[in-house]
Amino acid sequence: MIGSLDTTTLQHLWWLLCSVVGALFIFLTFVQGGQTLLWQVAKSDLEKSLVINSLGRKWELTFTTLVLFGGALFAAFPKFYATSFGGAYWVWVLILFTFIVQAVSYEYRKKENNLLGEKVYELFLFINGSVGILLIGAAVGTFFTGSNFVLSGYNFVTWTHPLRGLEAAFSLFNLSLGLFLVFNARTIGSMYLINNIDFSATPELETRLRNACWTSFLCSLPFLGYVLVSLLLMKGYTVDGNGVVSMVSRKYLANLLANPWLLGLLAAGLVLVISGVLSTAKTSKTGGIWMGGLGTVLVGLTVLLLPAYNNTPFYPSKADLQSSLTIANASSSHYTLTAMTYVAIAIPFVLAYVAYVWWAMDRTKLTADEVQSEAY
Amino acid sequence: MIENFDMSMVNWARAQFALTAMYHWIFVPLTLGITWIIAFYETLYVKTGNEHWKHITKFWAKLFGINFAIGVATGIIMEFEFGTNWSNYSWMVGDIFGAPLAIEGIIAFFLEATFFAVMFFGWNRVSKRFHLFSTWMVALGSNLSAMWILVANGWMQFPTGMAFNPDTARFEMQNIMEVILSPVAVSKFTHTTSSSMLLASLFIISISSWFLLRGRHIEMAKRSIIVAAVFGLITSAVVGFTGDEAAYEDAQHQPMKLAAFEGLYKGEKNAGIVAIGMLNSDKKPGDDQKPFNFQIRIPALLSLLANRSPGSFVPGIDDLVYGNEEYNIMGAGEKIERGKIALSALDTYKKAKKEGNGDMAAAALASFNENQEYMGYGFLEKPEDIVPPVATTFYSFHIMVALGTLFPLVCLAFLYFTMKDQLLNKRWLLAAGVPMFFLAMIASQAGWVVAEVGRQPWAIQGLLPVSVARSNLTAGTVQTTFFMFAILFTILLFAEVRIMTKQISIGPEGE
């Protein structure tokens, strides 16, 4: 069956798969959100240890999902990989930097002779959770607002802005998307920690986390509002049957209306996130993360599908409209997409064992005793 | 195709990739090897119920954990560097090269990342058997990850299972099984993983020797050594066998690399291997100077290694650069000429297609097809450009082989004296054992230097030189990030070494 799929279907399927991985990554940034909460919610060493150890059991999952997101884009849309990474150089390098320092911080922070001291590793975690996520949001924002590049006849990319990608962070829309992701990560980060930790020894930590969930959510609202309203009103990029790209008014509103299921995803996602927030912040329940997490996945999926489907260039060029990338002109060959689709059959199995291990490891909450005996 | 080569930028990008890869390779071989040994120790614990094995497992796992994080951190840079610094490469071969990277993510990384958490934090959260299963999964995941990245690397050394598409001006995959099962990929994987297992064995021998010299944790150190020495001895044999296979594959697909690592300028029959040698640093391809100031050679062995036939002809650097009619070897000069014809025909083809001139497009395509085998050479300027840095390749190869010969002897000596229960009396052996890990690290790094420096100037052997594979960046930009990465990685390496040595000196808990 997979072998008989045509190129267009495969391109749509692979954008969907990449978007699912991207949306799962946005959910898993609860780790980064938790990192930025550390100094705010954890006042004692024990509280810090609980937060760090709870997040530290999941950071690799987030990291791996980011790597897979990159790998899947490379395999399925190599022209995007080449154009964006080779062009928007500085934004990607800085994002990578924040993830390098994160990767070592959990392991090194509390170890003796760690050279830089505990506080520096905690600062690394904060930078990863704030600057890293903000820049990822700004980079994703360029899917809507466009970038500054020109492709030669042989697809060699020339970036036309001296900041090489960092200029994305100076657009109000991109910045708002980035800040929304930062505050959303904090919102779901507090939900995750509420779910994962046994607070019997640290009741104040629980109170602070529930408060942080509410305030982070309130902080995210203006940015979310600005992004949503802009999406409905802004001009967007479109591509016609001959591959000619042009600008049209209210393109993304048109995309939503042309694909009402996207509208459904967005609405369901927002309702779920709000339910998760209310459950965590206004009740004593601990399961808010599942609603908040699923809601984040659905919102993330909408944000990633909206600029690519319905004849929309997902990586538009402001400098030269005809250099813009669509899922049709940026994709791998029919053969590669087909081969990769066979491999993608493994994804449900991977999700199943990840879910099983998550359940097996988190059946009992993380206690103060445990972080004192067996911990980072 | 790409004008204005900026070799300064290309060289900084090369340096940055070399830096990242070499830092990455400080941490990864230990991960690849030690996870199997830890899984074996834990199996002994689960089978026997002896708590000693649990302490041993947890001690080595702790050191592995410290090492793992920085391996992950340097790894992510390598993946994204293909895009940031080698974007034209990413576009031109992404159709083939991207797939193994994505498969690595789906099949291997999640296995590693998911079960890593169980391995470290699951001792009291899951059953003994599930914990053991998780440790084996981490070992399997990390080695599967190596497999896919080495499939990708093997394809760069020996591009197969694909064709150039003149309409998209890129290489496209035609047969994924050919890419996965390419003999070079298989050889890369088996040689890399077996040498990593040997390195991990020597890591355990080094630290255990240090404990024994100090009279600490004697029981744990002796038990650790038995398993590590047996493991090291078995993997040494595999390393030798797969190393021989790797050299054979080089001879078949990258004869210039073989000639460089043997310092062979004039090809010959019954070619000998240089056992020890000092290169003449003034020697240039095509001149009459002696290639060596001093050398000891073992006759006919290189011919045997290269072609499985002691009397066979092995081409030298001069034969490959200037051609050799007697053995029907085309010189690089002719390849460059034909490559330039191919590139020019491709340009004409694209223009004709744009203008809708069918006849001109067909003629240009015919000319391109006739010469496309040499298209990559069309980017080079002179025949000598195909010669990699000979001294670096030669010395790296010989250091690797010399150390690779020493290691099984060391493992054998440790095994023998441990079995005879005389290890504690043999302080000379323990003292010799301590630096073995560092020597293994040098051998392992040297192996990659041979593989990667030896294939210069090619990003994709024969098809795409590094000068074309690059991104459109200034040298200053790449230089800046080179130093950013160099400083950060060095700081993190220092931190790792300090933490690691402290944890080693603390020793295992419960002993």
Side-chain angles (χ1 to χ4, degrees):
Chain A
M1 191 190 101
I2 289 173
S4 61
L5 295 176
D6 63 24
T7 306
T8 307
T9 308
L10 286 167
Q11 286 161 341
H12 280 75
L13 174 65
W14 269 94
W15 186 262
L16 176 65
L17 287 172
C18 290
S19 299
V20 168
V21 175
L24 286 171
F25 169 73
I26 296 172
F27 159 54
L28 291 166
T29 60
F30 68 74
V31 170
Q32 275 69 20
Q35 289 167 192
T36 64
L37 287 170
L38 182 66
W39 283 338
Q40 183 185 333
V41 298
K43 302 292 180 192
S44 67
D45 265 3
L46 174 62
E47 289 177 347
K48 264 189 189 172
S49 280
L50 280 164
V51 172
I52 291 277
N53 277 277
S54 175
L55 299 172
R57 288 159 200 221
K58 297 288 181 291
W59 77 264
E60 282 132 341
L61 214 49
T62 313
F63 205 94
T64 303
T65 308
L66 176 64
V67 175
L68 177 60
F69 186 50
L73 283 170
F74 194 1
F77 301 99
K79 201 197 277 188
F80 166 74
Y81 200 81
T83 306
S84 183
F85 287 92
Y89 188 78
W90 278 114
V91 75
W92 291 117
V93 165
L94 288 183
I95 289 169
L96 290 176
F97 242 74
T98 72
F99 278 86
I100 300 173
V101 295
Q102 182 218 21
V104 296
S105 292
Y106 284 104
E107 193 63 48
Y108 290 4
R109 176 182 153 269
K110 270 287 192 187
K111 294 276 190 311
E112 286 179 68
N113 272 3
N114 67 11
L115 188 70
L116 302 174
E118 194 177 324
K119 287 266 183 291
V120 173
Y121 292 108
E122 287 170 8
L123 179 66
F124 284 167
L125 292 177
F126 183 83
I127 290 171
N128 172 246
S130 53
V131 179
I133 300 300
L134 174 73
L135 290 179
I136 286 177
V140 171
T142 62
F143 286 8
F144 300 93
T145 55
S147 297
N148 300 287
F149 65 89
V150 178
L151 293 180
S152 74
Y154 287 97
N155 295 303
F156 196 50
V157 59
T158 301
W159 205 258
T160 58
H161 195 288
L163 289 178
R164 295 207 75 118
L166 278 182
E167 73 276 11
F170 298 101
S171 136
L172 198 54
F173 177 86
N174 298 342
L175 191 63
S176 299
L177 186 54
L179 285 168
F180 166 67
L181 288 187
V182 170
F183 285 109
N184 188 62
R186 285 165 64 90
T187 309
I188 52 176
S190 49
M191 289 179 192
Y192 165 78
L193 292 167
I194 285 288
N195 182 261
N196 198 244
I197 295 174
D198 175 345
F199 294 102
S200 51
T202 54
E204 288 180 354
L205 176 62
E206 181 179 2
T207 312
R208 285 187 221 112
L209 278 169
R210 289 191 189 278
N211 288 340
C213 179
W214 183 242
T215 50
S216 300
F217 173 68
L218 292 181
C219 290
S220 73
L221 280 180
F223 302 112
L224 175 66
Y226 183 78
V227 167
L228 288 179
V229 171
S230 301
L231 275 180
L232 298 179
L233 299 178
M234 72 200 289
K235 263 188 158 184
Y237 299 80
T238 190
V239 58
D240 67 16
N242 298 318
V244 177
V245 177
S246 56
M247 301 285 294
V248 288
S249 295
R250 305 202 173 156
K251 169 64 177 163
Y252 303 108
L253 175 62
N255 284 4
L256 276 175
L257 296 176
N259 293 297
W261 58 276
L262 276 179
L263 207 53
L265 278 187
L266 181 63
L270 291 173
V271 168
L272 280 167
V273 170
I274 293 167
S275 309
V277 170
L278 291 175
S279 161
T280 307
K282 300 298 174 191
T283 74
S284 58
K285 291 179 184 165
T286 58
I289 181 64
W290 305 121
M291 286 183 282
L294 180 61
T296 300
V297 170
L298 297 183
V299 173
L301 203 51
T302 315
V303 169
L304 291 167
L305 293 176
L306 195 58
Y309 283 0
N310 198 35
N311 302 319
T312 316
F314 71 91
Y315 200 59
S317 169
K318 288 192 282 194
D320 172 31
L321 283 181
Q322 304 319 317
S323 289
S324 300
L325 306 187
T326 65
I327 57 173
N329 72 19
S331 88
S332 282
S333 63
H334 181 266
Y335 180 88
T336 296
L337 291 178
T338 305
M340 291 294 303
T341 307
Y342 281 108
V343 175
I345 293 172
I347 291 178
F349 295 97
V350 174
L351 287 173
Y353 76 68
V354 170
Y356 176 75
V357 168
W358 189 314
W359 171 80
M361 288 291 287
D362 290 0
R363 267 178 299 189
T364 52
K365 309 280 181 205
L366 186 67
T367 64
D369 286 348
E370 195 176 345
V371 298
Q372 280 159 346
S373 63
E374 199 167 81
Y376 274 118
Chain B
M1 190 175 273
I2 291 180
E3 298 86 30
N4 303 323
F5 294 128
D6 179 356
M7 278 316 284
S8 173
M9 177 272 157
V10 173
N11 287 333
W12 277 109
R14 277 166 141 171
Q16 187 168 313
F17 205 87
L19 172 93
T20 321
M22 290 182 88
Y23 264 98
H24 188 53
W25 201 247
I26 292 174
F27 312 105
V28 173
L30 185 57
T31 293
L32 292 181
I34 206 167
T35 43
W36 293 119
I37 304 178
I38 293 169
F40 189 72
Y41 288 141
E42 191 175 341
T43 305
L44 290 176
Y45 163 60
V46 173
K47 286 266 176 211
T48 63
N50 185 336
E51 288 285 314
H52 267 309
W53 289 116
K54 186 179 181 184
H55 296 316
I56 291 173
T57 304
K58 287 184 95 169
F59 175 66
W60 296 112
K62 185 164 64 176
L63 301 188
F64 157 62
I66 295 164
N67 186 65
F68 180 77
I70 189 162
V72 171
T74 46
I76 192 174
I77 303 305
M78 292 192 67
E79 176 185 344
F80 287 102
E81 234 170 64
F82 286 112
T84 54
N85 291 358
W86 305 102
S87 64
N88 206 35
Y89 169 95
S90 296
W91 160 242
M92 285 189 73
V93 301
D95 196 64
I96 309 136
F97 190 83
L101 261 66
I103 299 172
E104 183 186 14
I106 297 170
I107 307 281
F109 282 160
F110 278 97
L111 212 54
E112 214 177 341
T114 307
F115 289 101
F116 180 88
V118 184
M119 188 177 168
F120 282 85
F121 304 108
W123 285 103
N124 300 319
R125 287 183 168 261
V126 298
S127 69
K128 251 190 200 179
R129 289 196 170 274
F130 188 70
H131 192 278
L132 176 64
F133 173 77
S134 301
T135 306
W136 280 104
M137 286 302 106
V138 172
L140 181 68
S142 53
N143 282 268
L144 274 178
S145 156
M147 186 187 101
W148 287 106
I149 199 69
L150 292 167
V151 162
N153 182 275
W155 182 82
M156 293 164 85
Q157 316 271 351
F158 172 48
T160 182
M162 51 87 210
F164 186 78
N165 180 345
D167 291 312
T168 53
R170 67 173 178 179
F171 295 92
E172 292 179 353
M173 186 143 62
Q174 301 223 304
N175 187 335
I176 193 170
M177 293 316 287
E178 260 186 52
V179 175
I180 295 170
L181 298 175
S182 133
V184 176
V186 173
S187 153
K188 285 250 158 249
F189 172 63
T190 50
H191 192 52
T192 306
T193 47
S194 57
S195 62
S196 298
M197 290 173 203
L198 174 58
L199 177 140
S201 306
L202 293 165
F203 176 72
I204 290 173
I205 287 176
S206 285
I207 294 169
S208 301
S209 297
W210 184 79
F211 280 144
L212 292 179
L213 278 173
R214 303 211 150 209
R216 293 174 56 194
H217 314 298
I218 291 172
E219 201 50 39
M220 187 216 77
K222 278 161 65 176
R223 281 174 189 248
S224 293
I225 282 178
I226 289 183
V227 174
V230 171
F231 204 72
L233 210 51
I234 295 168
T235 49
S236 291
V238 182
V239 169
F241 175 74
T242 54
D244 171 71
E245 185 62 24
Y248 173 74
E249 294 300 338
D250 283 343
Q252 304 309 307
H253 307 296
Q254 296 173 296
M256 177 56 86
K257 187 194 281 184
L258 182 91
F261 71 59
E262 270 303 302
L264 183 71
Y265 279 83
K266 301 247 185 270
E268 56 192 37
K269 286 183 173 177
N270 299 310
I273 269 188
V274 178
I276 301 172
M278 184 190 279
L279 290 167
N280 172 7
S281 57
D282 294 332
K283 171 72 183 163
K284 296 276 182 296
D287 69 15
D288 291 329
Q289 296 194 64
K290 282 185 174 178
F292 287 91
N293 293 329
F294 156 79
Q295 61 168 319
I296 298 173
R297 300 181 91 185
I298 306 169
L301 207 54
L302 186 61
S303 289
L304 183 66
L305 188 81
N307 301 315
R308 307 285 193 241
S309 160
S312 62
F313 177 79
V314 180
I317 293 171
D318 289 353
D319 304 294
L320 296 164
V321 172
Y322 304 111
N324 183 328
E325 278 187 24
E326 189 186 345
Y327 291 97
N328 206 19
I329 297 169
M330 189 193 288
E334 190 182 340
K335 289 181 181 175
I336 290 172
E337 268 177 40
R338 293 186 64 174
K340 290 197 187 299
I341 294 171
L343 290 177
S344 161
L346 183 62
D347 255 342
T348 311
Y349 173 74
K350 282 187 81 81
K351 263 183 217 146
K353 286 277 279 188
K354 207 171 183 180
E355 291 162 6
N357 187 338
D359 289 346
M360 195 201 268
L365 189 59
S367 167
F368 174 77
N369 286 337
E370 205 176 308
N371 296 289
Q372 72 151 308
E373 188 184 342
Y374 306 104
M375 186 177 71
Y377 287 86
F379 297 112
L380 303 178
E381 286 174 4
K382 54 184 191 305
E384 291 80 6
D385 286 350
I386 67 163
V387 183
V390 176
T392 312
T393 315
F394 172 85
Y395 289 116
S396 300
F397 177 74
H398 285 81
I399 288 169
M400 174 187 74
V401 172
L403 290 171
T405 312
L406 170 71
F407 298 145
L409 302 176
V410 173
C411 291
L412 195 61
F414 269 92
L415 188 61
Y416 177 78
F417 288 115
T418 311
M419 299 302 276
K420 290 218 145 205
D421 204 16
Q422 294 175 2
L423 196 56
L424 281 171
N425 306 330
K426 306 290 174 192
R427 295 186 73 80
W428 60 269
L429 181 61
L430 296 174
V434 174
M436 278 305 139
F437 171 60
F438 302 101
L439 295 181
M441 190 65 87
I442 290 169
S444 194
Q445 293 275 353
W448 274 112
V449 171
V450 176
E452 300 303 295
V453 174
R455 73 171 151 117
Q456 296 302 312
W458 302 109
I460 306 289
Q461 180 69 36
L463 299 178
L464 189 69
V466 285
S467 55
V468 183
R470 71 189 177 94
S471 296
N472 196 359
L473 295 161
T474 63
T477 304
V478 186
Q479 195 178 358
T480 308
T481 50
F482 171 87
F483 285 111
M484 283 168 65
F485 285 125
I487 292 166
L488 182 65
F489 288 160
T490 305
I491 291 172
L492 296 182
L493 175 66
F494 265 108
E496 200 234 24
V497 170
R498 281 168 57 103
I499 292 169
M500 190 79 109
T501 47
K502 183 68 190 176
Q503 292 301 318
I504 291 168
S505 75
I506 292 170
E509 287 163 20
E511 276 288 308

